[in-house]
Amino acid sequence: MENGTEPCGEERASEAQETTVTEGAAKIAFPSANEVFYNPVQEFNRDLTCAVITEFARIQLGAKGIQIKVPGEKDVQKVVVDLSEQEEEKAELKKGANLAPGDQPRTAAVGEICEEGLRVLEGLAASGLRSIRFAREVPGLQSVVANDASARAVDLMCRNVQLNAVAHLVHPRQADARMLMYQHQRASERFDVIDLDPYGSPAPFLDAAVQAVSEGGLLCVTCTDMAVLAGNSGETCYSKYGAMALKSRACHEMALRIVLHSLDLRANCYQRFVVPLLSVSADFYVRVFVRVFTGQAKVKASASKQALVFQCVGCGTFHLQRLGKTSGASGGRVKFSAACGPPISPECEHCGQRHQLGGPLWAEPIHDLDFVGRVLQAVSTNPGRFHTSERIQGVLSVITEELPDVPLYYTLDQLSSTIRCSTPSLLQLRSALLHAGFRVSLSHACKNAVKTDAPSSALWDIMRCWEKECPVKRERLSEASPAFRILSVEPRLQANFAVRDDANPSSRQRGLKRFQANPEANWGPRPRARPGGKAAGEAMEERRRVHQNKRKEPAEDPVQRAARLKTFPCKRFKEGTCQRGDQCCYSHSPPAPEDTAAAASPDHPKTSYQSPPGSGVAAGPGVD
């Protein structure tokens, strides 16, 4: 192996049985044993990535005068255009036929090498499925490097590349992904697209990735460690992403913003910054698509794009505090300075509880709505291109309806459970906010999300008005509870819950598949690939068996339990206060003489009775 590369040799006989999977335009063989990682649930992830890279290629190559041909788009366009437009196209074709060969319009098709096309790197390719799909479904590519550190994975990639006849585009390599990206830091050797889809956290690869992507290039990152990003281990999140995650109903969007903050923070070290194109929370992972640029002046503005989060532990109200601020100076210059704060008092103004501090996180828009609209239009006009087109259309439609300048959100169940009242319908709460003059939207990250620019005081006033229509029994509320303190204040805003027509978003009216149910039984992250590992099904079944009811005591047979309890002497019988007689579950027999003599011996300390060996219980003597 030289320079981290290894040529693909002859196909060696597979010791383990293999399974063939067809996804998109690719056909992949991978071992049934858990030696190379593959998760079918992430087909949505791969479909969306192909759609995003296609539109990115359309933008990048369009600036060079190159048009891309996407399979299925030409037939759709013929249906849309009218007769006059068809005649104009024929005239343009005739006119182009008379041009010199050098003046012919350049096009890039799927499966062909485009000399000025995109150079793509998949850092953690495993079976090579994603890279092969790029080669067979995305036009305008110059080359695709499919890298993995596992020799078994690279060997499998070589055979899959030959199986799909894409050896001219896809080049398997065996190397550490970080070292490979560090070797491509020079501007002439950088990749236009870098895709990172690791098992777990991508944190070890981000520093190298922001240096190896070209100017204005596309960086695609997947994070499957959602337990860390959602606040279960704030200290672990800080060590990986440089931010403290909080347990919140808006944890999925907070995870997206933490990942964007981490990417921008690492890029700033090299005078670079990120511009988010699309950020998606789906299933058990988050996926972000960002462009990376270089510019010292723009890097200075990064501090004003990050914010800390103050979240009340009682009612869940949150406030954002920017880390920096920008202001105009003389001569049209921009002045950067530290922000002033905090925006809140030590105690919550609504319920009197304390605040938790989280972040920093990305506080700017997490989507480029123009780019999202381009991807949505391309998928909608060519739905047969992807197997998950319906879900892509639904998710992107909700994203286009999100308020771009409003970070985080509340949820219906959070608001109602805080004051212990019934939950209003989504349309009722949205209508009340619209009647009050505020903006409101859904969030693709949560089904019951309420994303609004209304201040928290107005939101709780609306909930107080709703409680008056569905009263709560105040005598059951503790005076120290958040519900009692919130409801003890009279609302200043009189809410109107009459349903408005514009309260129902367009994606909901059209019945799009916005929030998909579980795609399959026992879905979620798959076991990590291990050399010579057991078959995936066997490993999963064994894991379920080991962890089943691990926090519950197994059911005990009543006869065995009665016999076990009879081995313990009754403490009340010894004191002469037990009234149960023979019905007592404990022993009323006097201790054996040798036990009494041993207990009376000065060399034998007085000890309490112990559980018999193997009883597996902590119950002591005299337990009633």
Side-chain angles (χ1 to χ4, degrees):
M1 187 173 68
E2 180 182 358
N3 234 6
T5 63
E6 179 178 336
C8 299
E10 297 180 358
E11 298 182 7
R12 61 185 177 92
S14 177
E15 300 177 359
Q17 187 178 4
E18 292 187 348
T19 304
T20 302
V21 173
T22 301
E23 182 179 297
K27 186 177 182 181
I28 301 296
F30 67 96
S32 299
N34 189 31
E35 294 181 343
V36 178
F37 186 80
Y38 169 72
N39 191 351
V41 175
Q42 284 201 339
E43 182 180 3
F44 169 76
N45 185 332
R46 292 182 280 268
D47 286 352
L48 181 62
T49 303
C50 290
V52 169
I53 295 180
T54 299
E55 293 309 307
F56 179 73
R58 198 191 304 271
I59 295 173
Q60 294 292 90
L61 299 184
K64 302 177 182 179
I66 303 176
Q67 298 180 354
I68 64 173
K69 291 184 177 181
V70 180
E73 282 191 355
K74 187 176 181 181
D75 297 335
V76 175
Q77 291 176 358
K78 284 184 178 180
V79 177
V80 175
V81 298
D82 57 15
L83 184 61
S84 60
E85 292 177 346
Q86 291 180 2
E87 293 177 352
E88 292 178 1
E89 289 181 358
K90 291 179 180 179
E92 291 177 358
L93 290 175
K94 291 180 180 179
K95 183 179 179 180
N98 298 326
L99 295 175
D103 298 333
Q104 292 286 348
R106 295 182 294 172
T107 60
V110 171
E112 298 179 358
I113 297 178
C114 179
E115 295 298 334
E116 299 181 47
L118 304 181
R119 292 167 296 176
V120 183
L121 167 66
E122 185 185 3
L124 307 147
S127 63
L129 171 60
R130 192 180 296 253
S131 295
I132 293 173
R133 289 198 58 184
F134 292 162
R136 295 184 62 90
E137 300 179 32
V138 179
L141 301 183
Q142 180 181 344
S143 64
V144 180
V145 177
N147 175 76
D148 202 282
S150 169
R152 178 74 176 106
V154 174
D155 179 72
L156 185 64
M157 273 191 283
C158 291
R159 286 186 282 139
N160 285 328
V161 166
Q162 298 295 333
L163 179 64
N164 290 270
V166 291
H168 61 292
L169 271 176
V170 181
H171 310 292
R173 298 187 66 173
Q174 181 185 354
D176 185 294
R178 294 165 293 185
M179 297 306 300
L180 178 61
M181 289 186 286
Y182 280 133
Q183 293 171 2
H184 289 77
Q185 294 182 18
R186 297 178 58 180
S188 59
E189 299 178 357
R190 291 174 178 171
F191 297 98
D192 300 299
V193 179
I194 295 181
D195 190 299
L196 297 176
D197 188 7
Y199 186 94
S201 173
F205 309 98
L206 298 184
D207 181 79
V210 296
Q211 299 181 67
V213 67
S214 63
E215 181 66 15
L218 180 65
L219 184 57
C220 317
V221 180
T222 301
C223 305
T224 57
D225 55 337
M226 283 301 297
V228 173
L229 288 168
N232 283 359
S233 302
E235 67 284 354
T236 305
C237 184
Y238 180 82
S239 65
K240 291 183 177 181
Y241 301 98
M244 180 68 70
L246 299 177
K247 287 188 177 181
S248 168
R249 299 298 177 91
C251 61
H252 294 287
E253 183 176 329
M254 188 177 293
L256 287 170
R257 295 182 178 276
I258 287 176
V259 175
L260 292 174
H261 159 74
S262 182
L263 285 170
D264 193 58
L265 184 64
R266 285 169 167 82
N268 291 165
C269 298
Y270 309 102
Q271 299 300 313
R272 312 193 82 182
F273 61 96
V274 302
V275 176
L277 291 182
L278 176 62
S279 307
V280 178
S281 173
D283 298 331
F284 54 87
Y285 61 89
V286 293
R287 177 75 163 170
V288 297
F289 302 88
V290 301
R291 297 185 70 180
V292 182
F293 295 92
T294 305
Q296 184 178 7
K298 294 292 183 67
V299 170
K300 292 181 178 179
S302 291
S304 60
K305 300 176 182 178
Q306 321 299 326
L308 297 172
V309 180
F310 293 86
Q311 179 177 279
C312 174
V313 299
C315 61
T317 303
F318 59 84
H319 301 269
L320 268 65
Q321 170 66 62
R322 299 273 182 154
L323 291 183
K325 67 177 181 179
T326 59
S327 56
S330 59
R333 296 181 296 107
V334 179
K335 181 180 180 181
F336 303 98
S337 59
C340 300
I344 54 170
S345 60
E347 295 182 352
C348 177
E349 60 178 325
H350 305 294
C351 66
Q353 300 289 334
R354 68 185 188 279
H355 290 92
Q356 285 183 322
L357 182 61
L361 49 79
W362 182 267
E364 292 293 302
I366 61 176
H367 314 290
D368 184 338
L369 295 183
D370 292 336
F371 181 81
V372 175
R374 293 172 65 106
V375 178
L376 177 59
Q377 182 181 6
V379 176
S380 301
T381 55
N382 190 10
R385 185 183 177 197
F386 302 114
H387 183 257
T388 61
S389 291
E390 291 186 8
R391 188 182 182 190
I392 294 177
Q393 294 179 52
V395 172
L396 296 186
S397 296
V398 178
I399 287 176
T400 58
E401 297 169 351
E402 288 183 10
L403 295 177
D405 56 341
V406 178
L408 307 182
Y409 53 81
Y410 297 93
T411 61
L412 284 174
D413 54 330
Q414 170 194 355
L415 297 172
S416 57
S417 62
T418 299
I419 60 176
R420 303 291 190 269
C421 71
S422 61
T423 305
S425 69
L426 178 65
L427 296 183
Q428 286 176 320
L429 184 59
R430 287 172 59 92
S431 298
L433 288 166
L434 292 173
H435 282 301
F438 302 110
R439 295 179 298 153
V440 62
S441 74
L442 295 174
S443 172
H444 79 279
C446 182
K447 188 174 183 179
N448 296 324
V450 179
K451 184 184 286 285
T452 178
D453 61 347
S456 57
S457 57
L459 197 59
W460 287 120
D461 277 347
I462 291 176
M463 294 306 299
R464 292 185 185 103
C465 295
W466 174 257
E467 189 272 338
K468 291 183 180 298
E469 298 185 7
C470 307
V472 175
K473 294 184 178 180
R474 306 295 178 88
E475 62 273 9
R476 295 186 177 181
L477 300 178
S478 170
E479 294 184 1
S481 65
F484 183 87
R485 296 193 177 186
I486 292 175
L487 295 178
S488 62
V489 178
E490 286 297 320
R492 298 181 180 179
L493 184 152
Q494 298 301 320
N496 181 4
F497 294 98
V499 177
R500 294 175 40 151
D501 294 336
D502 55 348
N504 197 14
S506 173
S507 60
R508 192 169 184 265
Q509 293 179 11
R510 290 180 288 164
L512 299 179
K513 187 182 291 185
R514 305 170 300 156
F515 310 100
Q516 181 169 319
N518 296 350
E520 63 180 25
N522 302 316
W523 69 284
R526 291 290 192 260
R528 184 187 296 270
R530 301 184 185 279
K534 298 180 180 179
E538 296 177 3
M540 185 64 70
E541 289 298 329
E542 182 179 357
R543 185 177 180 182
R544 292 195 191 103
R545 180 184 60 80
V546 171
H547 293 284
Q548 187 175 14
N549 296 326
K550 64 179 181 179
R551 297 180 181 176
K552 298 180 181 179
E553 289 290 339
E556 188 177 6
D557 183 76
V559 178
Q560 293 180 355
R561 183 176 184 274
R564 179 175 58 81
L565 292 180
K566 277 296 183 182
T567 61
F568 296 106
C570 180
K571 184 178 180 180
R572 293 186 178 181
F573 173 76
K574 184 177 180 181
E575 297 173 351
T577 59
C578 183
Q579 305 295 329
R580 299 183 180 180
D582 296 338
Q583 302 298 324
C584 183
C585 61
Y586 296 102
S587 174
H588 285 189
S589 301
E594 57 273 14
D595 294 342
T596 305
S601 174
D603 297 334
H604 191 281
K606 185 178 181 181
T607 58
S608 60
Y609 291 95
Q610 301 295 328
S611 301
S615 61
V617 296
V623 179
D624 252 346

